[in-house]
Amino acid sequence: MTRRLLFAAAMLVGVPSLAAAAPAVTVATVNLRAGPSTAYRVVGVVPPATHVVTHGCLAGYTWCDVEVGPWRGWI
């Protein structure tokens, strides 16, 4: 499971220190979840090369709060 979390965090390119919302791009297909854990339900699937807005990440970038079009969730 830790490998999956690290993989999901690595799917974002351009994630800054996150003092403010910032653009990023996915590099693989990832699940968009309702919360920062695989225990939360999947609310969507984000394909590679999708532009997302990053609102913040947990320590170590294990999960990031993102906005994809009208949807918001965690990758």
Side-chain angles (χ1 to χ4, degrees), residues 4 9 11 19 23 25 30 34 38 40 42-43 47 49 52 60 64 66 70:
R4 292 180 89 191
M11 295 304 94
V25 178
V30 291
T38 55
Y40 288 92
V42 174
V43 295
V52 301
C64 292
V66 300

Side-chain angles (χ1 to χ4, degrees), residues 1 7 11 28 72 74:
M1 182 178 299
F7 181 74
M11 295 304 94
R72 188 160 175 180
W74 291 82

Side-chain angles (χ1 to χ4, degrees), residues 1-2 4-5 8 31 33 35-42 63 74:
M1 182 178 299
T2 300
R4 292 180 89 191
L5 296 178
N31 289 327
R33 293 190 175 268
S37 164
T38 55
Y40 288 92
R41 68 183 176 86
V42 174
W63 288 93
W74 291 82

Side-chain angles (χ1 to χ4, degrees), residues 3-72:
R3 183 175 177 221
R4 292 180 89 191
L5 296 178
L6 293 174
F7 181 74
M11 295 304 94
L12 295 177
V13 176
V15 178
S17 62
L18 301 174
V25 178
T26 57
V27 296
T29 301
V30 291
N31 289 327
L32 182 68
R33 293 190 175 268
S37 164
T38 55
Y40 288 92
R41 68 183 176 86
V42 174
V43 295
V45 177
V46 183
T50 300
H51 293 266
V52 301
V53 175
T54 307
H55 293 284
C57 293
L58 298 181
Y61 297 97
T62 53
W63 288 93
C64 292
D65 173 14
V66 300
E67 186 176 340
V68 183
W71 301 283
R72 188 160 175 180

